[in-house]
Amino acid sequence: MAFRPIIFATVSTVALMLAGAAQAQDSTSVAPQASQPGNEENDIVVTGVRASIVGAINVRKEAVQIVDSIVAEDVGKLPDNNVIEALQRVTGIQVTNRTGGEAAAISIRGLPDALTTLNGRNIFTASGQAFALQDLSANLIRQVDVYKTRAADQIETGLAGQIDVKTRRPFDFDGFAISALARGVYNQEADTYNPNAALLVSDRWETGIGDIGVLINGSYTRTKFRDMTTTAGAMVPFATENPPEGSGFSPLQRIFSGWQPGQERGLPTTAGSTLDINGVDVPYYLSRDAIFSSDLYGKRERPAFNVAVQWAPNDSSEYTAEMFYNGFKGSTFNSLQFSFADWWGSLGPNPGSTFELYDGTNIIKSRRAGDVFGFNSGDFSTNKTDSYLYALNGKWNVGERGKIVADLAYQSSTNKTSFIAMRTTRVASAIDVDFNAGGGIPSYHFDDDALLADPSQWTIGEFYDNANKSKGSALTFTLDGDYEWDEGFLRKISGGFRYDDRKARDSVRTQDAGGLGANLSTLPADALFTNSGFYDGRADIPTSWVLANGYWLSKNADTIRQLYKNDPRYADRILLSDQMTMTDVFDINEVTLAAYLQADAEISIFGRPLQLQAGVRFVAVDTNFTFVDRYSSPPLVTQAASGTERFLPSFTARYEIFDNLRLRFNYGETLRRPAFADLNPNYTLTGDLTNVGYGTGGRGNPALRPTTSKNFDLALEWYFERSSAIYATLFRREIDGLVVPITSLTTVPNSGLNTASFLITRPENASKGVLKGVELGLTYFPTYLPGPLKGLGFQGSLTILDSKQNIPLVDINGNVTGQTSSSFFGVSDMSYNATLAYERGPIGARLSYVWRKEFLANNEARLFANPIGVWRTPEKSLDFQLTAKINDDLGLTFDAVNITRSKMQTYYKFEDVGGPEQFNLGTTLLARTFALGVRYTFK
């Protein structure tokens, strides 16, 4: 690595010349702890909800960078289940994926790849580059800072920004402290009651060797949930009821060949549209290939704890040793009922299928079809993660102006998943389906829905059995220093070094078998499961069906494996548990060396201070790969290596126009490294499931380079009262090397599947894009309200985004044939949140509403005739929190989430083609939850 000597020279310079330390690269210098508002302006004491909101204002006001925060009201008083839910009220944050009874995905200004740090240290989950932030309990959190801009002393990754989660330490308290929280959460869709508990104990002592503090903080949450989804399938073409002579089609026959699946805009939907098939213009209709419902039962448990020991032997040094554990254990049983709706055969005495078109189109809205094949599938998945972080930190004052901070951390994270499923099949006499009976939700019924719950009607079908293990670890050392001056142009100079040795490994096992032909009723009674009350009466669809019990499959996996193994066709394909081994997929070692220099300065313009901060960060990455091709025999092992080196400048100016009016400008450069799995060149394959002549699959690309972004921010902030502020931020992100999927038809021999042809999708740095927008925020606690209204306040924000990136157009062989443009995935053009807060006497309350506009979520597999984009309809949630103090130490809480029982819906769209009415896709009922709790705090 050519620049490695420069890095070590920089470190020596910092250590010898500056004798100072720069914040352990944990950003604590740019986002200080929330100040205690009770010590200002006549000692007006602010507590509870208002204290939390005012604390967040103080963080933004004092920071050099643009930072928005959430601050816990008190020990254990963040009123949300996980950190993502707590962040949804922060300006510029967009939250989605609210299935499973809680929010699970987050983006900052439309970008999803925020760097997650814990007390300033980069954290991750298993072999990934990111951390599963939804797994972090809000009970453990003191403060969360969301950095919209970046400085040279911050870790360079994450185009979206940085989310720094701060836990509590014993020196946060003056002495002994204990806090306990217990909540019971009722999930209405699942009809379950779930515990949420936390306990913190901390103390500190003055001893002969200095101050010593010890803190233990633990949390446990459990959630049993039920996600109910009904979906109208993808579109495919059918011949009309009067196909032309020479076409070879019978009335309403599905057209499998002679057209190109997976086009961006799909096939034309104008009435009378035709396909050129063997020289004949064949009129066609577009209809859904299937209709299906998913009744998913889930359970997750999240134990977590942190232990911290602090020692301050004197006024000039402090040492911290801490350990953090975050666990996740979950299981899901998906009761899937699936039926094709694409048959054109007879219906007994009826002459054939019937249908209805949307006016002026060739799109079938509703139809009756006979002799339809369907299957049910009992799918059971498990997921277990254990993540540990151990750290030692030392801080030293060197003289009156210098600081040194050293930090050594080791972390490991392991994730294990398993999946087992059994399908059952049947042919129903008829199905009547309206693909959109209203509000984007389909309606369908079979000739006799009662047969869905009759085991004797079902035949035992395919078997799937696989597992995955991912493991990651990292050893990280940082050394930082700074030196300050009180006067003059130069006020502080900082520098530091970071060394990170990251390892990641993935391994898998997989096996499957075809149908057995035996009747489902031949299985033991406890091997069967029949659901009830599906969709809670909110759609005109079947509400009950029978299938293999996923819980039983998991507990009796070898019994089922042996059942398939007894069939001579699968005897050599199915292994029992004592015969199974995992096959490595990749093994990666990545070493990162980074160094930075940064200077803070101040000058006076028109008698007002202009604060400047400029720096440059150099980062060098060496990555060594080992990949295993599981489809070769024996498995083929390949090795590769890559390296990148980059300088990343940053600059911030903060001008105090008046004492409470501030203007900020920031320029910085950040990057996003490829996910390790995206570097793997080997195939993952799925067979031909829809009889189109080829299967699907994916592979990585070891030549992927980091995606880089140039970031511009301009903010104006007015802190017009002690507890009130209004601010506006203009921002622009110029992003190069965006990764987009490129798909081509590829021959893969010896796959063991039912075809050798596959549409293979691989990632490429084939796009550039610009994301720009404006954020508006307001926090207002008026001081003039009378009587009981005096504690009333408002917090709200609005984010408007505009994104565009070029998308390569490719033919079936993967050749680029042109370019089009698209919005970024996951970006809503507009989102807002509004919170009405009240704090007076023993009562604290918060009513919050969050909303985001429709957005492009992902692209559909290139197998169908509909537009390629899958969009989400607008998402919203109305939540309420109430706290009532019984005394200074004890309080009662009540929380309600998703009060309006909003749904999550998807539809197909690309550019001006598609929409939620004629191209509706899936609708999931989101959980409404209510919680009662008690908090006890003594300090």
Side-chain angles (χ1 to χ4, degrees):
M1 186 181 294
F3 285 94
R4 195 172 293 175
I6 295 177
I7 295 177
F8 286 103
T10 301
V11 175
S12 299
T13 301
V14 171
L16 295 175
M17 298 184 63
L18 302 181
Q23 309 91 32
Q25 302 196 59
D26 64 356
S27 309
T28 52
S29 67
V30 286
Q33 295 184 26
S35 60
Q36 296 299 318
N39 296 326
E40 305 172 9
E41 298 186 12
N42 301 321
D43 289 329
I44 299 174
V45 178
V46 184
T47 61
V49 172
R50 184 170 177 177
S52 174
I53 295 173
V54 173
I57 291 178
N58 290 333
V59 171
R60 182 180 179 108
K61 184 177 181 180
E62 298 302 322
V64 175
Q65 305 301 313
I66 297 176
V67 185
D68 286 307
S69 301
I70 53 173
V71 179
E73 304 166 25
D74 205 336
V75 179
K77 283 192 177 179
L78 212 56
D80 302 278
N81 292 318
N82 63 43
V83 172
I84 287 180
E85 289 190 344
L87 286 170
Q88 65 184 325
R89 291 177 289 275
V90 171
T91 306
I93 294 290
Q94 295 179 342
V95 165
T96 188
N97 291 0
R98 296 179 181 272
T99 55
E102 65 181 25
I106 191 172
S107 63
I108 301 175
R109 295 173 172 174
L111 295 174
D113 68 327
L115 167 71
T116 302
T117 54
L118 182 71
N119 297 319
R121 305 179 182 100
N122 184 24
I123 53 176
F124 52 82
T125 299
S127 62
Q129 298 278 30
F131 179 75
L133 196 59
Q134 69 273 17
D135 289 343
L136 197 56
S137 171
N139 295 333
L140 301 182
I141 304 309
R142 171 174 59 88
Q143 182 174 322
V144 183
D145 296 321
V146 179
Y147 292 86
K148 312 291 184 62
T149 62
R150 309 287 278 284
D153 63 344
Q154 294 175 269
I155 301 172
E156 64 280 347
T157 56
L159 304 186
Q162 178 184 350
I163 298 175
D164 186 35
V165 180
K166 291 179 169 64
T167 58
R168 295 189 181 274
R169 290 169 173 168
F171 284 2
D172 294 342
F173 306 96
D174 294 332
F176 177 75
I178 185 171
S179 174
L181 162 70
R183 298 170 70 218
V185 183
Y186 175 70
N187 186 304
Q188 185 172 358
E189 263 56 46
D191 192 24
T192 59
Y193 294 88
N194 303 282
N196 182 329
L199 176 65
L200 178 147
V201 180
S202 179
D203 204 355
R204 59 186 296 177
W205 306 269
E206 294 182 5
T207 72
I209 58 172
D211 284 356
I212 295 177
V214 178
L215 176 145
I216 301 175
N217 193 7
S219 172
Y220 173 81
T221 62
R222 189 204 71 194
T223 302
K224 292 183 178 180
F225 58 92
R226 185 182 185 185
D227 288 339
M228 294 176 279
T229 305
T230 187
T231 304
M235 288 183 170
V236 292
F238 292 79
T240 63
E241 66 272 39
N242 297 304
E245 289 189 24
S247 67
F249 291 105
S250 59
L252 298 175
Q253 180 177 349
R254 178 170 170 177
I255 302 175
F256 284 100
S257 60
W259 59 285
Q260 176 60 56
Q263 300 179 63
E264 276 75 12
R265 300 173 67 87
L267 292 181
T269 62
T270 305
S273 297
T274 62
L275 295 170
D276 182 357
I277 300 177
N278 299 323
V280 178
D281 288 336
V282 180
Y284 64 89
Y285 294 136
L286 289 173
S287 186
R288 309 306 180 101
D289 65 339
I291 191 83
F292 52 96
S293 295
S294 167
D295 195 359
L296 186 143
Y297 302 82
K299 176 184 176 181
R300 60 174 169 265
E301 298 173 275
R302 292 184 176 126
F305 65 88
N306 70 289
V307 178
V309 178
Q310 291 186 290
W311 174 41
N314 49 53
D315 293 338
S316 62
S317 61
E318 180 179 295
Y319 303 89
T320 302
E322 53 192 339
M323 178 264 191
F324 181 83
Y325 166 77
N326 193 72
F328 176 88
K329 183 178 181 181
S331 64
T332 59
F333 168 34
N334 186 21
S335 172
L336 176 66
Q337 185 265 313
F338 183 102
S339 176
F340 284 100
D342 63 349
W343 184 243
W344 56 94
S346 65
L347 290 174
N350 298 317
S353 297
T354 59
F355 61 92
E356 174 192 0
L357 297 175
Y358 285 103
D359 291 341
T361 74
N362 62 359
I363 302 174
I364 292 178
K365 179 183 186 296
S366 62
R367 70 178 304 182
R368 178 174 173 85
D371 298 333
V372 289
F373 174 80
F375 67 85
N376 291 347
S377 187
D379 306 342
F380 192 83
S381 302
T382 65
N383 188 338
K384 187 176 188 297
T385 302
D386 294 291
S387 299
Y388 299 87
L389 173 66
Y390 308 89
L392 293 172
N393 180 276
K395 299 179 182 180
W396 303 272
N397 294 330
V398 181
E400 294 183 357
R401 302 182 182 275
K403 295 179 182 178
I404 294 175
V405 177
D407 194 271
L408 178 65
Y410 174 79
Q411 61 179 309
S412 67
S413 179
T414 302
N415 174 257
K416 298 178 181 179
T417 65
S418 68
F419 175 81
I420 189 169
M422 176 191 284
R423 286 186 176 179
T424 54
T425 63
R426 74 164 189 151
V427 175
S429 297
I431 187 171
D432 288 280
V433 54
D434 185 337
F435 296 109
N436 186 356
I441 302 175
S443 169
Y444 70 98
H445 289 283
F446 297 92
D447 56 324
D448 186 356
D449 286 348
L451 297 180
L452 289 171
D454 182 355
S456 67
Q457 299 294 313
W458 296 92
T459 300
I460 298 176
E462 296 85 354
F463 174 69
Y464 303 93
D465 181 17
N466 55 65
N468 174 274
K469 180 179 179 181
S470 300
K471 185 172 183 178
S473 64
L475 178 67
T476 308
F477 175 72
T478 60
L479 177 66
D480 305 86
D482 67 43
Y483 192 86
E484 297 185 9
W485 294 267
D486 293 333
E487 298 179 349
F489 172 71
L490 189 64
R491 296 301 177 93
K492 182 166 70 172
I493 187 167
S494 310
F497 163 80
R498 180 175 185 266
Y499 168 85
D500 183 73
D501 186 355
R502 175 76 198 279
K503 295 178 172 62
R505 172 180 288 186
D506 258 21
S507 54
V508 300
R509 65 162 181 83
T510 182
Q511 60 182 359
D512 58 74
L516 290 180
N519 196 275
L520 179 61
S521 61
T522 61
L523 293 182
D526 55 355
L528 307 182
F529 177 85
T530 303
N531 64 337
S532 62
F534 177 73
Y535 229 68
D536 197 28
R538 297 167 72 178
D540 185 22
I541 55 180
T543 60
S544 179
W545 54 85
V546 67
L547 41 55
N549 188 327
Y551 302 104
W552 188 90
L553 291 177
S554 178
K555 293 178 181 178
N556 299 273
D558 271 349
T559 300
I560 293 299
R561 292 172 184 141
Q562 187 64 57
L563 182 65
Y564 282 86
K565 193 174 181 64
N566 290 340
D567 190 310
R569 295 172 294 173
Y570 316 127
D572 296 332
R573 295 175 55 176
I574 300 298
L575 303 176
L576 303 181
S577 56
D578 60 352
Q579 302 168 310
M580 294 176 178
T581 58
M582 304 284 279
T583 301
D584 285 345
V585 176
F586 63 75
D587 192 349
I588 293 178
N589 184 203
E590 183 173 87
V591 176
T592 302
L593 298 175
Y596 73 91
L597 285 174
Q598 181 171 282
D600 289 65
E602 183 175 316
I603 59 175
S604 178
I605 298 180
F606 303 117
R608 306 297 303 176
L610 172 63
Q611 297 173 311
L612 304 172
Q613 185 182 84
V616 62
R617 187 177 186 89
F618 174 77
V619 58
V621 183
D622 277 341
T623 309
N624 295 296
F625 318 93
T626 299
F627 300 115
V628 179
D629 183 358
R630 297 182 290 117
Y631 292 103
S632 64
S633 184
L636 178 64
V637 178
T638 58
Q639 294 183 325
S642 68
T644 60
E645 296 171 338
R646 188 175 295 273
F647 287 97
L648 301 170
S650 63
F651 172 77
T652 299
R654 189 177 75 170
Y655 182 57
E656 303 284 344
I657 303 173
F658 301 108
D659 287 344
N660 294 319
L661 184 63
R662 177 172 299 163
L663 182 69
R664 301 179 197 251
F665 170 78
N666 176 270
Y667 171 79
E669 297 184 16
T670 51
L671 57 85
R672 173 198 298 159
R673 292 184 188 143
F676 291 139
D678 286 345
L679 300 171
N680 183 5
N682 298 310
Y683 295 108
T684 58
L685 303 173
T686 301
D688 183 2
L689 302 180
T690 54
N691 298 319
V692 296
Y694 44 78
T696 58
R699 66 184 304 185
N701 180 0
L704 283 178
R705 67 182 189 277
T707 301
T708 59
S709 178
K710 296 180 179 179
N711 312 315
F712 304 85
D713 290 80
L714 180 65
L716 183 65
E717 304 162 0
W718 181 27
Y719 301 92
F720 58 92
E721 287 188 4
R722 178 180 170 277
S723 301
S724 302
I726 186 170
Y727 51 87
T729 305
L730 298 172
F731 54 88
R732 179 182 176 91
R733 304 286 182 262
E734 298 176 356
I735 306 175
D736 182 51
L738 283 166
V739 176
V740 293
I742 302 295
T743 302
S744 59
L745 189 63
T746 306
T747 299
V748 183
N750 305 317
S751 68
L753 300 172
N754 62 348
T755 180
S757 297
F758 298 88
L759 275 181
I760 299 297
T761 300
R762 69 185 186 278
E764 294 279 0
N765 294 106
S767 178
K768 295 182 179 180
V770 173
L771 173 70
K772 56 188 177 180
V774 60
E775 292 176 346
L776 302 173
L778 170 66
T779 300
Y780 185 38
F781 280 91
T783 57
Y784 53 79
L785 294 177
L789 297 180
K790 187 174 288 291
L792 196 63
F794 173 82
Q795 181 186 40
S797 66
L798 170 69
T799 303
I800 300 174
L801 297 171
D802 179 42
S803 66
K804 183 174 290 187
Q805 68 179 103
N806 67 297
I807 304 292
L809 301 177
V810 298
D811 60 23
I812 196 168
N813 295 313
N815 301 310
V816 177
T817 60
Q819 297 282 336
T820 186
S821 63
S822 169
S823 300
F824 286 11
F825 289 117
V827 174
S828 291
D829 292 345
M830 184 171 69
S831 62
Y832 65 84
N833 66 76
T835 298
L836 192 64
Y838 182 78
E839 187 79 31
R840 186 166 178 82
I843 301 298
R846 177 166 20 196
L847 181 67
S848 301
Y849 183 75
V850 295
W851 181 91
R852 64 178 300 186
K853 194 177 179 182
E854 67 271 9
F855 61 96
L856 174 62
N858 58 277
N859 279 345
E860 175 67 278
R862 293 182 179 270
L863 296 172
F864 307 107
N866 44 257
I868 195 71
V870 177
W871 285 68
R872 296 267 186 92
T873 59
E875 297 185 350
K876 54 189 176 293
S877 183
L878 179 65
D879 307 330
F880 177 71
Q881 293 102 27
L882 174 68
T883 300
K885 289 184 179 180
I886 296 176
N887 54 45
D888 290 341
D889 299 328
L890 189 65
L892 300 178
T893 66
F894 171 76
D895 307 309
V897 176
N898 190 24
I899 295 172
T900 60
R901 301 187 77 183
S902 64
K903 302 180 290 290
M904 185 180 77
Q905 294 187 290
T906 55
Y907 60 93
Y908 293 119
K909 182 182 177 184
F910 184 84
E911 295 180 342
D912 60 339
V913 180
E917 181 179 348
Q918 298 174 356
F919 295 83
N920 59 299
L921 186 55
T923 300
T924 301
L925 304 183
L926 299 178
R928 177 164 61 183
T929 63
F930 302 94
L932 284 173
V934 58
R935 290 192 180 110
Y936 174 79
T937 302
F938 174 80
K939 291 185 292 182

